[in-house]
Amino acid sequence: MIDFDKILKEAQEELNNITSIIDLNTFFQTYLGKAGKVTELMKLMKEIPNEEKKNFGLAVNNLKQTISQNIEDKEKFFAEKKIQDSINNTKLIDLTVPTNKKIKGSLHPITIVQEKVINIFLSMGFTVEDGNEIETEYNNFEAVNVPKNHPARDMQDTFYLDNGQVLKTHTSAAQNRIMKKYGAPLKAIFPGRCFRNEELDASHENTFFQIEGMMIDKNVSISNLIYFMKEMLTQVFGKEIQVRLRPGFFPFVEPGFELDISCPYCNGKGCRVCKQGGWIELCPCGMIHPNVLKMGGINPDEYQGFAFGLGFSRLAMMNYDITEIRLLNSGNITALSQAKIK
Ligand code: PHE
């Protein structure tokens, strides 16, 4: 006689000890697989005498179904346990805790002012040219009428490379190249980074930005210079700006000027920034020296032109209320992003 109850009891005890889904599979094979214990019992069916077949059949079936059901239950248990475990292992998220604020990048004040000025000059028909940061001594000095041993070189002491080239001291270094490239007439601006061997302080840096402008045509005069500068500055500051010229010496212009603007902080009334004078010195400029035109391949008897060299770093500082020039090259995001946008 086969003791079905005993088999079931043993199976259930075995099942109780199972703790993994892999062992559960093995258990399944042991009882219900091809050569499993229950399967083997079913194969006995044909050897059972007819009168016992019914009871035997019922008992085997019952055993098979009970074990199947037990396996299914255990499977369900494992599946639920897995979910429960993953819930228990999940760290609770507190949605009320303040997060790290994402800091959005922004353009550098120099870039913003540069784009503003470029757009204004583009709208007035100027082209935008590139200049080199490493220049020949010729382009930086000789071609703008500063011969070797001329005292004006002292004003722009710079960094000399082993090959005799220099880090350009001013955007004027591109004048000669541009004149030769386009000839006259021409209207061009050329922004760029410049370098000088400076004693550093709040308003002097060894690396700074300028934008140079040049207009060469027949009958160009100082009036054209004043018009373009006034127009550009009025747009940059977003309010009517007055300009005035004072004599200034630069070997590459004749006559040369210092251009002052009416103080944009107090509209010329006098304040701390303009030291009560109402005017702020902004930009050297002048009529291009005939020698410079000649060296650029342009006939000075036929053409005249004006040029200016606007200190961008200076303009950006005024536009954004930055009082320390060294901040501009510092990469100090906290300080730069505090620059007050006007
Ligand atoms: N290149 C001069 C400087 O950097 C500025 C300048 C440009 C002056 C054009 C006159 C004309 O000091």
Side-chain angles (χ1 to χ4, degrees), residues 107-177:
L107 293 177
H108 192 283
I110 293 267
T111 311
I112 300 174
V113 173
Q114 176 166 314
E115 283 184 2
K116 239 189 199 179
V117 174
I118 284 178
N119 283 334
I120 296 167
F121 275 107
L122 277 176
S123 76
M124 299 195 290
F126 284 69
T127 59
V128 184
E129 299 297 324
D130 235 355
N132 303 336
E133 289 185 349
I134 295 176
E135 262 296 0
T136 57
E137 237 189 296
Y138 174 81
N139 275 335
N140 197 80
F141 293 121
E142 274 98 323
V144 285
N145 210 24
V146 187
K148 273 203 164 62
N149 305 321
H150 190 285
R153 285 211 180 187
D154 280 352
M155 298 192 314
Q156 299 194 4
D157 187 17
T158 182
F159 303 90
Y160 286 77
L161 308 186
D162 287 343
N163 64 7
Q165 291 188 312
V166 298
L167 296 189
K168 76 156 184 272
T169 60
H170 51 179
T171 39
S172 308
Q175 281 193 8
N176 187 266
R177 210 189 290 279

Side-chain angles (χ1 to χ4, degrees), residues 276-326:
Q276 310 305 332
W279 295 92
I280 297 182
E281 180 180 321
L282 186 72
C283 166
C285 52
M287 298 305 291
I288 302 174
H289 195 288
N291 287 349
V292 175
L293 289 173
K294 240 185 269 170
M295 281 184 276
I298 293 171
N299 180 1
D301 295 330
E302 207 179 338
Y303 289 99
Q304 306 82 44
F306 68 76
F308 63 87
L310 179 62
F312 242 177
S313 303
R314 189 96 184 280
L315 195 62
M317 287 167 73
M318 287 174 70
N319 241 242
Y320 290 93
D321 277 359
I322 300 170
T323 47
E324 162 68 71
I325 190 171
R326 285 170 289 192

